Amino acid sequence: MVAVTQNGICPPGEVDVVIVGAGFGGIYLLHKLRKIGYSVQAFESAGGLGGVWRRNAYPGARVDTNVPYYEFAVDEIWKDWYWKETYPGRDELCDYFDYIDTKWDLSKDIKFNTTVVSAHFDPDQNKWTVRTDAGDCIKTRFFLPCTGVASKIYVPHMKGLETFRGPSFHTARWPEAGVDIEGKRVGVIGTGASGVQVIQEMGPYVKQLTVFQRTANMALPMGQQKLSKADQDREKPNYPQQHAFVKKSKKGFPIVGRDKKTAEDSPQERKEFWETLWQKQGFHPWTGNYKDLVYDQDANDEFYLFWRDKVTQRITRTNDPDLIENLAPRKPPHPFGVKRTSLEQNYYEIYNQDNVELVNIKKNPIIEITPTGVTTAEKTYELDVLVLATGFDAVTGGLCLMDIRGIDNASLKDKWEKGTSTYLGIATSGFPNMLMMYGPHSPGAFAVGPTLNEVQGDWIISCMQHMDRKNFARVDVSRAAETHWSKHVNTLVNSSLFPKANGWWVGGNIPGKPREALSYIGGLEQYRKTIDQCCENGYEGFVFT
Ligand code: N01
């Protein structure tokens, strides 16, 4: 064991494990690995624990998984922790991470405000050399990137963007100290999950809110509720069962889908079923729906009409004749649920306010950003603040930001330039002893985050222990196993309606990025079975030396 932190700078030291990122994945591994005797150094580019939650300080940011599912299923953490709302906000999530820190004493082994810039594998020593933007250089046996799916922000090229004179931030770079928006003219570009949240939160406070929308979001009502300590004390005896349920669930969410195809029910039964889902709120109308929702276009079209009917009832403004058609077009831009749907609170009502305007930039494109606003083909909008809710170069972006080089100095970025390949979303051939949490081809986008981190984290740790028991210095992946898994992940996605949308799930939101499956859609239950079976079969597909 080598102590590596000295006056805030790591000397060229050595540890057993380097972790990149201090979100759910990184801190789970840090805690567990330290406990069984590994020396660990973690690096985090933000100033505190929490990964995306620390970074996404924009007004209205909150999780869309309800209590008690978006938390560690670890007794010593959940037993004494109380949430304020069923869908906690970003600040509360940061408090939760700070609370975990007091329990697990994590920060002493994390270097904050420090970005890992490179990791190079030395095949002679079977060690990685990791360097940071703060000048750290550290050798490690295991390199564990826990960069999540949304660590590389995406800011599209827009003429004149750098000339805008007022405050202008990407949602994931919103200053923690906040930005004064009260009484200001604010523009928001983008209506994904971040856009929906920032729009509904800012609408009541700003003088004028102009939303530049390219694609309508098929958002669902969140069903937010306040939570008292008494509510939670009453429910806590059920938490172990509830946490275990998600871990073993088919879909990785606390919702059971209908084990029937849409056409197996009569139109009346369908309507009644969808009404039940709608009353339950949250993601029920998405993950609780018929099993062919994201596979059968006709089934999907029918549900879309149900969704459209529900939300258009809430759009009552009469002085904007295009509003309904812009927010919920008669012809869907893509099938329902194949691009991440958002949970909203008052999103549709916000557009009934006179100070909120929706600009359909598919019809009326942005020409340029000027020092004082946004000019579209039809009009110039004068703005004081500009919000870029334009998303992320997701899943692979955060990994490829680092100069990661494996055997023969080959770069990960080059390897994945034309298409991503991994084995089980955990490893990629030619990059030995690099094990990823939440990596491409894992069910990252289709399972509750902390739950998947526990499942993958436990697996990664047992693989490392297996190596130590057998005195192996190196774990790599066979090309055949990797090719087979990557093909399987893509085949699943290609048999669904997912490729019909341009979202980050299929790399469709970034110009020039390969169109491919970035997540495994076969469900958490099947994923767990697969990785457990791999382990039972002597880590089949992995190559140990
Ligand atoms: O990003 P997005 P996000 N000109 O990619 C638009 C998680 N998350 O940050 O749809 C104009 O979904 C783009 O338009 P279009 C969650 O997993 C969770 O909102 O491509 N507009 C779209 O409207 C989520 O899926 C929560 O036509 C442009 C928007 O920008 C993921 O993070 C909260 C444009 C980007 O939407 C990403 O969500 C927030 C351009 N050139 C985020 N380029 C929770 O609730 C892009 N857009 C837990």
Side-chain angles (χ1 to χ4, degrees):
M1 310 274 177
V2 180
V4 290
T5 309
Q6 201 178 61
N7 304 328
I9 300 276
C10 302
E14 187 163 333
V15 283
D16 299 323
V17 182
V18 163
I19 291 171
V20 189
F24 274 109
I27 65 174
Y28 187 74
L29 282 175
L30 170 58
H31 171 64
K32 288 258 170 165
L33 287 169
R34 264 187 346 195
K35 240 173 119 172
I36 53 174
Y38 287 89
S39 58
V40 187
Q41 177 66 52
F43 294 101
E44 164 59 54
S45 57
L49 295 181
V52 285
W53 295 110
R54 193 64 62 174
R55 284 298 203 175
N56 283 266
Y58 64 85
R62 66 178 60 256
V63 69
D64 54 15
T65 302
N66 57 302
V67 170
Y69 299 105
Y70 197 77
E71 61 183 20
F72 282 133
V74 178
D75 293 4
E76 64 190 303
I77 298 297
W78 65 258
K79 276 202 166 145
D80 299 327
W81 177 260
Y82 292 87
W83 299 99
K84 296 191 187 89
E85 294 172 303
T86 47
Y87 293 89
R90 176 263 175 196
D91 290 350
E92 204 184 349
L93 280 152
C94 288
D95 292 346
Y96 173 71
F97 280 100
D98 292 342
Y99 165 77
I100 298 175
D101 201 9
T102 62
K103 288 270 182 179
W104 286 351
D105 197 14
L106 299 161
S107 288
K108 68 179 161 78
D109 291 313
I110 304 171
K111 197 165 174 217
F112 294 106
N113 301 307
T114 304
T115 300
V116 170
V117 290
S118 69
H120 294 181
F121 185 71
D122 176 348
D124 297 328
Q125 294 186 48
N126 288 318
K127 288 197 176 133
W128 288 88
T129 301
V130 178
R131 292 175 197 276
T132 74
D133 64 351
D136 307 291
C137 173
I138 185 165
K139 280 188 197 271
T140 178
R141 204 172 143 215
F142 292 102
F143 176 59
L144 308 183
C146 302
T147 46
V149 296
S151 50
K152 183 181 176 190
I153 63 168
Y154 170 59
V155 175
H157 173 73
M158 284 182 278
K159 189 179 166 211
L161 182 58
E162 67 294 346
T163 68
F164 185 71
R165 276 207 296 262
S168 170
F169 296 102
H170 187 279
T171 40
R173 293 294 176 269
W174 198 262
E176 284 206 50
V179 176
D180 182 16
I181 51 155
E182 210 162 328
K184 299 271 165 50
R185 297 165 302 174
V186 179
V188 178
I189 301 178
T191 53
S194 307
V196 163
Q197 292 187 332
V198 86
I199 290 161
Q200 66 188 9
E201 185 75 14
M202 283 183 169
Y205 302 105
V206 298
K207 182 175 175 194
Q208 175 69 37
L209 184 66
T210 310
V211 177
F212 299 93
Q213 175 198 282
R214 195 163 65 178
T215 307
N217 192 319
M218 298 171 199
L220 295 167
M222 176 175 267
Q224 174 74 296
Q225 283 170 33
K226 295 278 175 221
L227 274 180
S228 69
K229 183 168 181 292
D231 293 333
Q232 290 168 82
D233 281 333
R234 225 177 7 258
E235 276 297 312
K236 275 187 190 268
N238 302 322
Y239 281 14
Q241 210 184 341
Q242 290 171 320
H243 289 143
F245 170 79
V246 186
K247 217 173 248 186
K248 297 211 164 110
S249 68
K250 210 168 180 168
K251 298 196 174 183
F253 287 106
I255 296 175
V256 181
R258 187 131 162 123
D259 198 18
K260 254 184 173 182
K261 290 185 175 174
T262 308
E264 289 177 49
D265 273 345
S266 68
Q268 182 57 25
E269 285 167 331
R270 297 205 274 271
K271 187 152 188 321
E272 283 166 13
F273 172 57
W274 286 334
E275 283 293 347
T276 324
L277 293 182
W278 202 263
Q279 294 316 317
K280 287 184 180 170
Q281 304 192 301
F283 279 135
H284 285 272
W286 177 43
T287 49
N289 217 311
Y290 290 102
K291 65 180 180 186
D292 57 354
L293 177 77
V294 293
Y295 292 92
D296 183 304
Q297 187 64 62
D298 292 340
N300 197 288
D301 284 344
E302 195 180 328
F303 180 73
Y304 177 80
L305 291 179
F306 177 87
W307 170 85
R308 184 175 189 271
D309 181 49
K310 286 288 180 196
V311 303
T312 53
Q313 291 172 26
R314 294 165 54 190
I315 308 165
T316 54
R317 188 167 177 169
T318 51
N319 61 355
D320 181 350
D322 297 329
L323 187 60
I324 288 184
E325 187 54 22
N326 283 335
L327 283 170
R330 235 168 278 276
K331 185 173 176 309
H334 53 76
F336 178 91
V338 302
K339 195 167 172 188
R340 183 67 147 55
T341 183
S342 300
L343 294 189
E344 53 79 31
Q345 292 171 273
N346 55 333
Y347 182 65
Y348 293 101
E349 285 77 7
I350 277 294
Y351 290 98
N352 295 329
Q353 293 184 189
D354 280 338
N355 69 329
V356 181
E357 182 175 2
L358 181 70
V359 181
N360 179 338
I361 56 170
K362 257 191 191 145
K363 285 191 187 149
N364 176 17
I366 294 175
I367 305 296
E368 68 173 326
I369 313 293
T370 70
T372 57
V374 172
T375 299
T376 66
E378 286 174 7
K379 190 175 160 185
T380 291
Y381 297 85
E382 294 294 324
L383 303 171
D384 304 310
V385 179
L386 182 60
V387 184
L388 301 165
T390 45
F392 302 89
D393 179 354
V395 191
T396 50
L399 289 160
C400 293
L401 263 183
M402 297 177 277
D403 176 27
I404 299 178
R405 289 175 187 269
I407 304 282
D408 295 332
N409 206 32
S411 123
L412 183 70
K413 195 171 169 220
D414 291 349
K415 178 179 176 183
W416 286 353
E417 197 180 1
K418 293 214 162 63
T420 309
S421 54
T422 78
Y423 181 43
L424 305 178
I426 291 177
T428 187
S429 65
F431 295 80
N433 298 1
M434 177 176 103
L435 301 168
M436 300 172 286
M437 280 282 246
Y438 237 72
H441 299 168
S442 77
F446 300 98
V448 173
T451 309
L452 179 61
N453 281 313
E454 288 181 24
V455 168
Q456 284 194 309
D458 291 344
W459 194 95
I460 286 171
I461 292 165
S462 64
C463 176
M464 290 164 64
Q465 289 180 306
H466 169 77
M467 286 178 70
D468 286 342
R469 272 195 307 274
K470 304 265 180 185
N471 271 329
F472 290 130
R474 190 196 276 202
V475 56
D476 204 337
V477 163
S478 90
R479 290 247 180 210
E482 171 170 313
T483 304
H484 185 263
W485 178 253
S486 303
K487 206 169 151 195
H488 173 58
V489 170
N490 277 284
T491 304
L492 288 179
V493 164
N494 290 333
S495 69
S496 75
L497 302 175
F498 285 90
K500 291 196 173 188
N502 291 324
W504 62 266
W505 286 346
V506 292
N509 64 326
I510 304 294
K513 190 167 174 168
R515 285 294 292 246
E516 57 173 342
L518 287 172
S519 274
Y520 172 71
I521 63 164
L524 183 62
E525 183 187 39
Q526 188 53 46
Y527 180 74
R528 281 191 61 193
K529 277 188 192 155
T530 309
I531 61 174
D532 287 350
Q533 216 159 42
C534 160
C535 167
E536 279 155 26
N537 295 343
Y539 291 91
E540 198 172 16
F542 285 88
V543 182
F544 296 96
T545 45

